[in-house]
């Protein structure tokens, strides 16, 4: 079960954070001695940051097992999920980073483990570089540090225009994103389910919960620049995870690990860009040992 907590982001934007599990409260008796799942009275915090177009619910399976030993919170970032989408709000890199910073401070999560996918991973390592006091460790899931360029932004704009919205049913959503989307190389049921989670019913059918314009504004604030400098400033332990068929290539991922002062590398076979969603069990197998190591430091 996830409990919603409202957070105030930069510029007064209301953000929806979701806490999974029920962390022990001060005064609760400790778990029995010798229990392999002993939970601290104040378990270490984890903040999960989704990628562009994503939402906190995409982290549900990860957050459930994390909540056994951590205080796991997933954030609907500005313009996404159930967080506000003000037309005039800032959708800059600074705004996303400051929102994550505000979430850690307002919820008392820090120093926390930050786990980010795609855009959320960039936000995570930029915050880790900016506020090392708030970040205990970092997990980067399938996000590139190199610049993607103007051609990439044009491709995304054209892709949004190709979406056959509104969709008549959620089954149509799953089929298009899992099979018919020209960006799909082979049928992918997990991808269809992923996009079904970011749709809402409207009078004429199913439409995304986000605005295309806000997504493009968010993206254009990182695609033209490389982000190696901030990566090199991350001082905490960091794990770079890529899907074998994801967007982050092996050579770039290994270079990111080299640039990170305390970087480690892992890859998940048979996974694409949506690593944690494609292969949740394999994702856990690479993430959990890293977290165990962080907890013992």
């Amino acid at each position: 079960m996830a409990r919603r907590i409202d957070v105030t982001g930069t510029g007064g934007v209301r953000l929806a954070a979701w806490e999974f599990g029920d962390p022990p409260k001060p005064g609760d008796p400790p778990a029995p001695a010798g229990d392999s799942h002993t939970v601290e009275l104040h378990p270490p915090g984890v903040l999960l940051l989704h990628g562009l177009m994503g939402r906190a619910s995409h982290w549900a399976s990860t957050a459930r097992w994390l909540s056994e030993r951590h205080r796991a919170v997933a954030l609907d970032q500005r313009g996404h999920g159930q967080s506000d989408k003000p037309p005039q709000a800032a959708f800059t890199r600074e705004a996303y980073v400051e929102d994550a910073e505000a979430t850690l401070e307002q919820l008392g999560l820090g120093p926390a483990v930050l786990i980010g996918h795609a855009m959320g991973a960039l936000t995570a390592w930029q915050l880790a570089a900016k506020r090392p006091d708030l970040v205990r460790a970092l997990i980067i899931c399938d996000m590139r540090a190199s610049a993607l360029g103007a051609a990439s932004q044009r491709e995304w704009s054209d892709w949004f225009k190709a979406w056959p919205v509104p969709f008549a049913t959620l089954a149509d959503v799953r089929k298009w994103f899992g099979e018919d989307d020209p960006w799909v190389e082979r049928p992918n049921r997990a991808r269809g389910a992923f996009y079904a989670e970011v749709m809402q019913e409207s009078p004429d059918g199913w439409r995304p919960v986000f605005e295309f314009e806000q997504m493009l504004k968010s993206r254009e604030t990182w695609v033209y620049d490389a982000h190696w400098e901030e990566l090199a400033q991350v001082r905490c332990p960091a794990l770079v995870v890529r899907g074998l068929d994801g967007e982050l290539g092996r050579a770039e991922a290994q270079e990111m690990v080299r640039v990170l002062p305390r970087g480690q590398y892992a890859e998940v076979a048979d996974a694409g860009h949506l690593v944690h969603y494609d292969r949740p069990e394999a994702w856990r197998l690479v993430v959990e040992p890293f977290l165990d190591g962080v907890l013992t430091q």
Side-chain angles (χ1 to χ4, degrees):
M1 184 67 74
R3 177 173 67 96
R4 174 173 171 159
I5 309 170
D6 284 341
V7 174
T8 302
T10 189
V13 175
R14 183 188 57 82
L15 307 172
W18 303 87
E19 182 167 0
F20 290 75
D22 298 310
K25 300 175 178 60
D28 287 351
D35 187 342
S36 62
H37 294 289
T38 298
V39 181
E40 304 171 29
L41 285 179
H42 299 286
V46 177
L47 180 63
L48 298 125
L49 299 171
H50 60 74
L52 189 74
M53 301 181 296
R55 65 187 309 169
S57 63
H58 285 145
W59 289 113
S61 65
T62 298
R64 288 190 189 103
W65 63 260
L66 280 172
S67 66
E68 297 171 6
R69 300 176 64 190
H70 303 76
R71 184 183 176 197
V73 175
L75 180 67
D76 276 336
Q77 296 172 79
R78 60 177 53 218
H80 296 76
Q82 293 189 31
S83 289
D84 282 352
K85 306 164 181 66
Q88 303 306 317
F91 288 92
T92 61
R93 279 285 79 225
E94 292 78 12
Y96 279 103
V97 172
E98 288 170 5
D99 284 348
E101 182 179 5
T103 300
L104 292 178
E105 291 182 329
Q106 291 174 37
L107 300 186
L109 282 177
V113 176
L114 301 186
I115 303 178
H117 172 245
M119 178 190 74
L122 176 58
T123 299
W125 88 60
Q126 288 181 329
L127 178 55
K130 176 187 177 183
R131 291 290 307 274
D133 58 307
L134 287 178
V135 183
R136 181 175 186 170
L138 173 68
I139 297 177
I140 297 167
C141 179
D142 216 65
M143 179 61 187
R144 300 180 62 184
S146 58
L148 302 180
S152 173
Q153 188 72 350
R154 287 194 299 270
E155 288 172 1
W156 272 71
S157 179
D158 291 343
W159 179 54
F160 281 153
K161 292 172 185 175
W163 289 24
V165 291
F167 294 91
T169 67
L170 278 180
D172 292 328
V173 174
R174 295 187 187 96
K175 184 176 186 302
W176 196 82
F177 287 101
E179 300 177 25
D180 301 335
D181 181 352
W183 282 20
V184 175
E185 295 181 359
R186 57 182 180 273
N188 186 331
R189 291 181 61 186
R191 189 174 188 270
F194 182 93
Y195 282 97
E197 283 197 51
V198 297
M199 297 290 162
Q200 62 185 354
E201 192 170 16
S202 60
D204 60 351
W206 292 83
R207 295 179 176 273
V209 298
F210 50 79
E211 300 292 335
F212 290 128
E213 182 181 354
Q214 292 181 352
M215 297 301 98
L216 289 173
K217 282 183 179 178
S218 299
R219 196 173 186 274
E220 72 183 7
T221 63
W222 89 73
V223 296
Y224 303 113
D225 301 312
H227 306 284
W228 296 97
E229 184 176 348
E230 299 105 310
L231 204 65
Q233 295 170 6
V234 174
R235 299 301 170 187
C236 62
L239 176 68
V240 177
V241 184
R242 63 178 291 268
L244 203 60
D245 298 316
E247 296 179 9
L248 175 61
R250 179 176 291 153
E252 183 171 354
Q254 292 178 342
E255 179 64 12
M256 290 169 65
V257 171
R258 189 192 69 78
V259 169
L260 284 160
R262 301 173 68 185
Q264 300 178 39
Y265 174 78
E267 62 184 30
V268 178
D270 300 322
H273 178 57
L274 309 175
V275 183
H276 59 297
Y277 207 86
D278 282 346
R279 296 288 309 281
E281 293 180 0
W283 159 255
R284 180 174 181 173
L285 287 175
V286 301
V287 167
E288 200 164 31
F290 172 77
L291 294 177
D292 287 344
V294 170
L295 288 176
T296 58
Q297 291 179 6

